[in-house]
Amino acid sequence: MSNVKVLPLLEPADGQGAAPCCPPLTERPMTAEEAETAARMFKALGDPVRLRLFSAVASHEGGEACVCDISDVGVSQPTVSHHLKKLKEAGLLSSERRGTWVYYRVEPDVLAAMGRLLISTPAA
């Protein structure tokens, strides 16, 4: 018997995107809705600049980063903003405006769900 808990799709608190809560790929075939949600997230991470930005936010001290601290990825500031928007639309990041700056943080539930999706459990 598997000890993996399958979580339902949840709406993040800010109402942006959907958090992917899918079973591990080896547990059962994904539903069409689960596949759409997971594909949207992995597609967002499929761009090297987005992956670097996501990593910069995820690894930043305190678990969040000001856009001013993560914009050095070899592209212009408008392009950084575009990529951060795509990551947010995919449900991977959330943001909060503080004065003139926007702070981003990785959605921990989403990150955990992505990990569970890819981790296979040995058959008993």
Side-chain angles (χ1 to χ4, degrees), residues 26-95:
T26 57
E27 185 174 302
R28 64 168 172 77
M30 297 175 106
T31 66
E33 186 177 4
E34 290 168 338
E36 286 289 329
T37 302
R40 185 172 49 250
M41 290 186 350
F42 286 114
K43 182 177 180 181
L45 290 174
D47 182 282
V49 172
R50 288 185 201 144
L51 190 54
R52 288 185 65 201
L53 287 168
F54 185 76
S55 174
V57 172
S59 64
H60 201 270
E61 185 177 331
E64 68 177 12
C66 173
V67 69
C68 61
D69 295 329
I70 58 171
S71 59
D72 187 21
V73 292
V75 296
S76 68
Q77 181 56 46
T79 303
V80 167
S81 295
H82 166 76
H83 287 300
L84 288 169
K85 178 182 174 186
K86 291 295 183 183
L87 290 168
K88 189 175 172 184
E89 287 173 351
L92 296 167
L93 296 178
S94 61
S95 66

